[in-house]
Amino acid sequence: KHFTLSPSLTYNEDWYLSTIEKKYDATNDSVITDTIQGFRAGRDFLVAASLNTRIYGMVQMKKGKIAAFRHVMSPTLSYGYRPDFSDPSFNYYKEYQTDAQGNVAKYSIFETGIYGGPPSGKYGIIGFNLDNNLEMKTRTVTDSSVNLKKIKLFESLSAGVSYNTALDSLQWSNINVNGRTILFERVNVNLSGSFDPYISNSEGIRINTSELSENNRLA
């Protein structure tokens, strides 16, 4: 009654009449790419779900020009999962020697195809977003009536963040904030910002230490 659950399943299947195979040629110190003829299908899927609701708040004023404030919060919790299609069990990716030192790299047997093939890397994202709408009603009193007018203070003010369960570090995404409103019923104002929850080292590279824990340590 008060919550909306939206599950989804995205399935992709690409058909190819050939794939590739890479191997190292020690005589010429080079990598040879062979084309293997034959039908192969690349399949991948993504499972996702979102849960959202709305929370209403109202403050009414009995006197004065301001009649009421109305606040609507719309929180959304989401989750998406996709396995790692470069895992050997799917047989979509292989390894090959790249040089005389014996270094090894991974490649997709579909990488020369028009659609590229199933993606590599495990995906497991938990997301949270909170959207806010804030309105005000003004009151104009005349001898014969009371006129109410609705004014949108913020048509939308949202903040969102996600957590990647598939990573072993830097799991939190940036905190993204977006807002929009209309001033004087004529001017559209859009706001946006992004805040990194992690600190960076002297070279400007993000490290697995949050701003909050760093501030507590310095304090």
Side-chain angles (χ1 to χ4, degrees):
K1 184 178 179 179
H2 301 292
F3 294 88
T4 301
L5 177 64
S6 304
S8 65
L9 171 65
T10 302
Y11 175 80
N12 300 302
E13 181 168 333
D14 301 319
W15 291 4
Y16 293 103
L17 298 179
S18 64
T19 56
I20 65 167
E21 183 177 12
K22 293 184 178 183
K23 56 187 177 182
Y24 178 68
D25 182 1
T27 303
N28 299 310
D29 189 24
S30 62
V31 175
I32 299 174
T33 302
D34 291 329
T35 300
I36 310 299
Q37 301 296 331
F39 175 81
R40 283 294 302 270
R43 305 176 180 89
D44 66 89
F45 62 88
L46 172 67
V47 179
S50 65
L51 181 69
N52 61 74
T53 187
R54 284 190 175 184
I55 303 169
Y56 296 87
M58 177 80 74
V59 176
Q60 295 181 326
M61 313 292 185
K62 294 183 179 180
K63 297 180 180 180
K65 292 185 177 181
I66 299 176
F69 287 99
R70 182 175 183 263
H71 183 200
V72 182
M73 293 187 293
S74 302
T76 301
L77 182 65
S78 60
Y79 178 69
Y81 172 78
R82 182 182 64 212
D84 182 5
F85 289 100
S86 68
D87 187 276
S89 61
F90 292 101
N91 201 27
Y92 295 148
Y93 286 75
K94 295 183 178 180
E95 292 184 344
Y96 70 103
Q97 183 179 336
T98 61
D99 52 34
Q101 287 70 42
N103 294 312
V104 175
K106 185 179 291 188
Y107 73 97
S108 168
I109 64 173
F110 302 107
E111 67 183 26
T112 59
I114 189 172
Y115 299 111
S120 64
K122 187 178 179 181
Y123 177 93
I125 298 291
I126 300 172
F128 178 76
N129 187 81
L130 179 62
D131 191 21
N132 297 271
N133 175 275
L134 185 61
E135 298 176 346
M136 177 177 68
K137 278 187 179 181
T138 59
R139 180 192 295 118
T140 303
V141 181
T142 64
D143 295 336
S144 58
S145 64
V146 176
N147 299 317
L148 297 176
K149 181 181 180 181
K150 183 188 297 183
I151 300 175
K152 291 183 178 181
L153 300 179
F154 267 103
E155 190 170 349
S156 175
L157 180 61
S158 64
V161 67
S162 63
Y163 183 85
N164 193 338
T165 61
L167 300 179
D168 54 10
S169 64
L170 301 175
Q171 293 148 314
W172 290 101
S173 72
N174 285 0
I175 303 170
N176 298 309
V177 179
N178 296 279
R180 68 177 186 274
T181 189
I182 301 176
L183 298 178
F184 314 114
E185 299 181 352
R186 289 180 176 84
V187 181
N188 290 312
V189 179
N190 293 281
L191 310 171
S192 64
S194 184
F195 305 93
D196 192 343
Y198 295 102
I199 64 172
S200 300
N201 60 18
S202 58
E203 299 176 353
I205 301 173
R206 301 171 79 213
I207 60 176
N208 196 40
T209 302
S210 69
E211 290 276 5
L212 183 61
S213 62
E214 180 69 7
N215 290 336
N216 290 336
R217 185 185 69 84
L218 296 176

